[in-house]
Structure formats: structure tokens, C-alpha cells
């Protein structure tokens, strides 16, 4: 087959979304962040919201999200993305406004902002990358670190007596009256990626339709912080994270 025949529209099975530009990502090979960026770009393109999407980037490994997604973006101070997104959405109600936050940013430093924005029913979507660790700063314990899990700041493993219990932010979000759609997904297999994409689409549609707040948690790997190969990290996540953070929809108001 010639190249021309292969790239005929009827033969096209996959195309990189235009909104995901060609800048080389700084993420470690095997990291979940890049996959989720791609899904966000695909969904925005499929919804035709290229000129209406505003992403709010976190402090953490995804701090440079705006370098990879060709949409309007605003950087927020650590943990404050939901407050910034609230202001943007209230000022421009016709925009698709979403935050993109790690577990350190969302479930520790920004716990208050997250809970209150969700509880107020702001018409935004929060994408929550839960890799159970502070990736960017060298793998310290996060609120979501599993019991027994070793990190730079709990080298003998997280101990409930000393460090408390892992925080179930998504379960908390599901109890709040302002939330419309709350779900927990992952991106370690093709099937999981497809489901995660559907979840992001639903959350974005709810945000545009003014149905309330939406939280999409993506249980993720940080293979560098976990000191594992990408393949081993995926296996570890399936065996250890999924039992504690089970996948699926926790709340769907429809
Ligand atoms: C107020 C404040 N506290 C701490 C830091 C340092 N800091 C930067 S990124 C980060 C951890 C981010 O971890 P997470 O949100 O889980 O994202 P990841 O890097 O794992 O994607 C921390 C503690 C900071 N920049 N500002
Ligand atoms: S440190 Fe972890 S979260 Fe950050 S880019 Fe590397 S694998 Fe991803």
C-alpha cells in the first residue's frame, strides 16, 4: 500500500488531536498525565469547543499543561484551581471551564477550594489525577498514599497511627449536593482509556449544560516516584490502588 492509500479518510483509524500540539512533553515515559491530556484534547475537538475551552493548570507535574494543549489556559496557585475556575466560569458562563489537578494539589493543599467549589455546584469539571504521591517534588506522601506504601517521607510505609488514613476525595465529592457527576476511571489499558474518555465527555457536557459540578478522578501511575518500570507500575496500580479506589461512577444525577 502506498502512503497516499493508507492516509485516505476511509482508512484512517487514528489521528492525533490538533489541540495536542507537537511540543515534547516533559512527563516521564509511562506517566498517565500525557494520556489524559490527549483525551481532553480529543473531547474538546469532538465537542467543537476549541475556542470556548479554558483549562486551569495546577502546581505539580502538570504545571506546564498549557504548553501541550492549544486552548486558553490559566495557571493557578497551588490548590486554588477550583477557585480560579469558579471565577472564570461565572464571568464567561458560555465557556467550558475545567481544572486539571494532582492529588497533592487537589486533596491536600486545595482540599477546601475543591470541596467548596463542588458543593456550590459550580458548572465546572475537575480532572483529578490520583497517583498517590507528590510526583513533581520527589515522591513525598500525599493524602491519597495507601497504607503501607513507601514514599520519600514515609520510607517505612504509611502508618495510620502516624499519618492517618488515605483520603477518599471522590467519595466525599459524591455526597455533596452540588455535584452532578462523580466518577473514578483509569487509563492503563485501551478499554480503560475509552471509558475515561466517555467520562470526560459526560462531565464536559454537564458543565456546558449547567447541571452542576463534575469530578473525574483518574487513578494513575507515577512510575518515577514509585521507582518502578511503567509496566510494573500499571500492575502495582491494578493490584493495590484499585481495591482501595474502585473504578466506576459514584454519582450521576441523570
Ligand atoms: C503552597 C505550596 N506548597 C508546596 C509547594 C511545592 N509543591 C510543588 S508541586 C507539589 C506536589 C504536587 O503533587 P501532585 O499534586 O500530587 O501532582 P503530581 O506532581 O503528582 O502530578 C508540591 C508539594 C508549592 N509549590 N506551593
Ligand atoms: S514524576 Fe511521576 S507524575 Fe511526574 S511526570 Fe514523572 S511519572 Fe509523571
Amino acid at each position: 500500500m502506498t502512503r497516499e492509500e493508507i492516509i485516505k479518510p476511509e482508512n484512517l483509524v487514528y489521528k492525533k488531536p490538533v489541540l495536542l500540539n507537537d511540543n515534547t512533553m516533559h512527563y516521564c515515559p509511562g506517566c498517565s498525565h500525557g494520556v489524559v491530556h490527549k483525551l481532553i484534547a480529543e473531547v474538546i475537538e469532538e465537542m467543537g469547543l476549541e475556542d470556548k475551552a479554558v483549562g486551569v493548570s495546577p502546581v505539580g507535574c502538570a504545571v506546564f499543561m498549557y504548553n501541550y494543549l492549544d486552548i486558553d489556559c490559566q495557571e493557578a496557585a497551588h490548590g486554588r484551581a477550583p477557585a480560579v475556575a469558579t471565577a472564570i466560569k461565572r464571568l464567561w458562563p458560555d465557556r467550558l471551564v475545567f481544572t486539571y489537578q494532582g492529588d497533592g494539589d487537589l486533596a491536600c493543599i486545595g482540599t477546601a477550594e475543591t470541596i467548596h467549589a463542588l458543593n456550590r455546584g459550580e458548572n465546572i469539571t475537575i480532572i483529578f489525577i490520583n497517583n498517590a504521591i507528590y510526583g513533581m517534588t520527589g515522591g513525598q506522601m500525599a493524602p491519597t498514599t495507601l497504607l503501607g506504601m513507601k514514599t520519600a517521607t514515609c520510607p517505612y510505609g504509611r502508618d495510620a497511627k502516624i499519618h492517618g488514613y488515605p483520603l477518599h476525595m471522590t467519595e466525599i465529592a459524591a455526597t455533596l449536593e452540588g455535584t452532578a457527576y462523580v466518577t473514578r476511571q483509569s487509563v492503563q489499558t485501551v478499554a480503560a482509556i475509552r471509558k475515561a474518555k466517555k467520562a470526560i465527555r459526560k462531565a464536559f457536557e454537564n458543565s456546558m449544560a449547567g447541571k452542576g459540578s463534575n469530578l473525574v478522578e483518574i487513578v494513575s501511575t507515577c512510575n518515577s516516584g514509585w521507582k518502578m518500570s511503567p509496566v510494573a507500575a500499571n500492575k502495582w496500580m491494578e493490584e493495590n490502588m484499585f481495591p482501595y479506589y474502585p473504578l466506576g461512577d459514584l454519582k450521576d444525577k441523570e
Side-chain angles (χ1 to χ4, degrees):
M1 245 190 195
T2 65
R3 187 177 145 74
E4 285 62 36
E5 279 168 333
I6 291 169
I7 57 172
K8 271 183 191 169
E10 62 269 31
N11 291 332
L12 193 68
V13 288
Y14 176 77
K15 188 162 121 321
K16 186 167 82 68
V18 177
L19 292 183
L20 193 69
N21 62 34
D22 289 332
N23 290 338
T24 305
M25 287 184 172
H26 71 288
Y27 299 121
C28 308
C31 176
S32 310
H33 277 304
V35 182
V36 184
H37 282 15
K38 187 196 75 164
L39 294 184
I40 290 171
E42 281 180 355
V43 172
I44 293 172
E45 265 176 44
E46 287 167 19
M47 291 175 76
L49 294 174
E50 292 90 334
D51 296 331
K52 286 205 186 285
V54 185
V56 183
S57 41
V59 178
C61 280
V63 66
F64 297 131
M65 176 182 81
Y66 47 77
N67 280 344
Y68 312 127
L69 291 178
D70 281 342
I71 55 169
D72 285 336
C73 283
Q74 173 64 48
E75 175 62 55
H78 213 327
R80 313 303 178 230
V84 173
T86 296
I88 297 171
K89 183 68 179 178
R90 287 188 181 197
L91 285 167
W92 289 285
D94 66 323
R95 303 297 167 106
L96 169 71
V97 183
F98 69 92
T99 72
Y100 185 99
Q101 302 172 259
D103 44 315
D105 186 271
L106 179 147
C108 184
I109 297 155
T111 317
E113 282 76 5
T114 306
I115 289 180
H116 288 298
L118 293 171
N119 197 42
R120 288 194 305 268
E122 304 293 344
N123 292 308
I124 60 172
T125 290
I126 293 179
I127 311 274
F128 168 28
I129 307 297
N130 179 8
N131 56 21
I133 214 168
Y134 281 27
M136 186 197 212
T137 40
Q140 295 88 351
M141 183 177 63
T144 47
T145 298
L146 299 179
L147 290 179
M149 185 176 172
K150 292 179 181 161
T151 73
T153 47
C154 54
Y156 302 109
R158 183 176 187 161
D159 177 352
K161 284 201 192 100
I162 304 170
H163 311 111
Y165 294 91
L167 192 61
H168 280 103
M169 272 305 281
T170 304
E171 277 75 4
I172 294 172
T175 67
L176 304 174
E177 281 186 47
T179 49
Y181 179 51
V182 177
T183 187
R184 184 182 283 123
Q185 303 289 332
S186 66
V187 291
Q188 86 289 12
T189 63
V190 174
I193 290 170
R194 290 202 175 124
K195 276 194 192 162
K197 181 175 170 182
K198 267 194 187 165
I200 293 171
R201 171 100 192 211
K202 181 170 197 142
F204 282 1
E205 281 172 354
N206 280 353
S207 302
M208 290 306 281
K211 291 188 176 167
S213 312
N214 304 276
L215 179 74
V216 181
E217 174 181 344
I218 311 281
V219 183
S220 299
T221 58
C222 172
N223 44 289
S224 292
W226 296 359
K227 305 193 190 327
M228 292 178 197
S229 70
V231 173
N234 275 342
K235 192 164 180 281
W236 191 90
M237 175 178 70
E238 286 175 351
E239 289 173 358
N240 297 281
M241 299 265 288
F242 290 177
Y244 206 81
Y245 298 115
L247 304 186
D249 290 350
L250 285 87
K251 179 177 186 180
D252 186 355
K253 263 194 181 167
E254 275 188 357

